[in-house]
Every structure is written in structure tokens, then in C-alpha cells.
Amino acid sequence: MSSVNQQTHQSLKWQRRLALILLISQAGITVSGSIVRVTGSGLGCDTWPNCQEGSLVPVAGAQPWVHQLIEFGNRLLTFVVAAAAIAVLVAVMKAGRRRELVVYGVLSIIGIVVQAVIGGISVHMDLHWWSVALHFLPSMALVWIAALLYARIPEDDQQAPHRVFGAHTRRFALAAAIALAVVLMTGTMVTGSGPHSGDADAGMEGRLELDTEVLAVVHAVCMYAYLLLTLLVLWQLYKQKAPQRAKRTAWVLVVIIIIQWAIGVAQFYLGVPRWTVPFHIAMSSVVVAFTAVLWARGYARPHYDIQRSQDRQLQTS
């Protein structure tokens, strides 16, 4: 392997590690946000961008210290996610990667900035349910983008993309992605009507005034539709003898959906105890990430091959 190819190989590994860090941090900040909610710390910092009026950091006596520290810590994580996004963008640009990867990196950075603004709006709206929902759903979109970036980085920029899945499989995959979006939206409605307002003193003010149990049933039905569509994708993958990588991704996704279903059922019958919420939110990010990766498997370039690159260089030298 030539020194140039070795450098390319190391660069690809580094890009993918950074993309994985971005993906984990995007998912992680949604979990920290859920911890803010279930501990009632959403207004621990009651203004934005400052934590307290006239102070960027927590102020003794303004709010309980634990609430201030939890909310302020969640805000600080935004800088960690932003740093990861910038690092990925710099890495792919420095390596001269294709425009698609650069676009994902740029969208991640823009999305983080937009999310920070939406978070500030939700604070100024005293955590009304719809403002909190608007804060959560873009996070899932950013997890999707980060997962696509992670899946696409190993692909060879010099190779043309091709359809790996057949037309029916692609349609089922698209329908599953749409069903997932509906699952997430109905999930925010269940949360918006539920017992965890996000602030210890807010009570049910600003909550969604609909029956939580009915919304939970609607949410579950949407989840079953999403699971069924994912199983149809898996069936089609075997029917058309798709690559093993795609089938493995689909199997993992099915298992993850079942785990998420079990957590949701436990929440329903246990009355949504606080400790279950971060687990449910974390699994939401995992489900979104694997759905995005499965989607990416359906239309892809061949993975970068160091030996093939070396052969091309020998032919042109």
C-alpha cells in the first residue's frame, strides 16, 4: 500500500470516527433534554441566551441549584455537538470529499443553531407543549442526517451511486420512514399531555388538553404500522437477495423497534415513571439512526477500496 493510500485510509477512519461522535452527541443531547424534563428543570435557567437575567451562568437563589445546573449543563452540551459537527465538516472538506457529505455537515451545523434558537423560544414560552415538541422533532431530523453522514462516508466518491433495493423495497422503506415521522409526532403529543411538564412549578399549565391514554393508543397504532412496514422491507430484502449488510441493518432495526415498543408498554402500565423517559428518548434516537442507515443502504456507492485506488494510481502513473 502506498503512502498516499495509507493516508487516505487513515483519513477515512478519522472522518467516520468524527461522524460517529456527532451521531452519538446528537442522540445524547436529546437524552439530556429528557432529563431536564423529568427532573422539572426546564426553567432552571428561565431566560435565554443567559441562564438568569443578566447572567450567562447560574445564580445562587434564582432557582434551585440542581435545576439550574441540569438545565445549564444541557445548554453546554450544545457546544459539544456543534464542535463535533464542525470537526466533521472540516475533515470532509479537507479530504476533498464529494458535495453530498459537505452538505450533510453544513446542514448539521445550521440545524444545531436553529435548535438553540428553538430551545430559547420554548423557554420564553414557559415550556408550552407545542414549543417543546418543536424542539424535539428537529433533533430527530439531525440524528437522521448524522446517521446518513456516518453511513455515506465509507463510500467511494469516484464510484457512481446505484439502486441496491428494488422498487417495491424502496417504496416500503419510504413508507416506513414516513410512518416513523408520524410515530415521533404522536409521541410528542403523548408527552405534551402527560405528567412531565418540564418545570417543577408549571404543573399542567400549557399542556395539551387531550386524553393521554387515547393519544397513547394512537401512538401505539402508528408504531405497529411502522413495525409492519419495516418487516415488509426485511421480507423484500430476502426475496430479492439483497446484500448481507442491508439485511443485518434491517434485522437490528426490527429488534430495536421491539425493544422500544416494550419500553413504551411499560411506561403506559406503570404510569410513565420518570426514570423510563430518558430510555424511551434514547431508543427513539437509535431507531431513527438505524432507519436512516437502512434507507442509505438502498441507494449507495460501493465502499471505498484502498486496493482499487492503488490499482488506479498504478494505471495512470
Side-chain angles (χ1 to χ4, degrees), residues 44-205:
C45 291
D46 59 8
T47 187
W48 187 89
N50 287 337
C51 179
Q52 303 297 340
E53 193 67 39
S55 176
L56 185 64
V57 298
V59 175
Q63 292 287 341
W65 266 113
V66 64
H67 292 162
Q68 291 195 68
L69 291 178
I70 291 173
E71 168 60 13
F72 187 66
N74 182 60
R75 292 186 181 189
L76 288 180
L77 283 178
T78 301
F79 296 99
V80 175
V81 182
I86 292 170
V88 174
L89 179 60
V90 170
V92 297
M93 292 182 68
K94 185 177 178 181
R97 301 302 305 275
R98 63 186 184 277
R99 181 180 298 179
E100 177 189 11
L101 302 182
V102 175
V103 169
Y104 290 149
V106 171
L107 287 176
S108 293
I109 294 172
I110 293 173
I112 291 165
V113 174
V114 171
Q115 268 292 70
V117 174
I118 295 174
I121 292 172
S122 69
V123 170
H124 287 294
M125 294 298 298
D126 292 330
L127 306 181
H128 275 62
W129 80 270
W130 59 265
S131 66
V132 176
L134 286 177
H135 194 35
F136 171 74
L137 293 173
S139 292
M140 294 296 97
L142 291 175
V143 169
W144 180 282
I145 291 171
L148 285 181
L149 184 59
Y150 178 76
R152 296 295 194 199
I153 279 177
E155 295 176 354
D156 190 340
D157 297 344
Q158 304 304 316
Q159 300 293 312
H162 65 282
R163 296 192 180 280
V164 180
F165 297 172
H168 290 306
T169 310
R170 194 73 172 166
R171 291 190 193 102
F172 284 136
L174 175 60
I178 294 172
L180 173 58
V182 177
V183 170
L184 294 171
M185 286 187 284
T186 56
T188 64
M189 295 177 71
V190 175
T191 302
S193 66
H196 304 302
S197 65
D199 179 69
D201 300 320
M204 293 302 289
E205 184 178 348

Side-chain angles (χ1 to χ4, degrees), residues 296-309:
R297 299 276 191 248
Y299 187 71
R301 291 172 167 83
H303 277 202
Y304 194 88
D305 190 316
I306 296 296
Q307 185 61 50
R308 184 170 60 236
S309 175

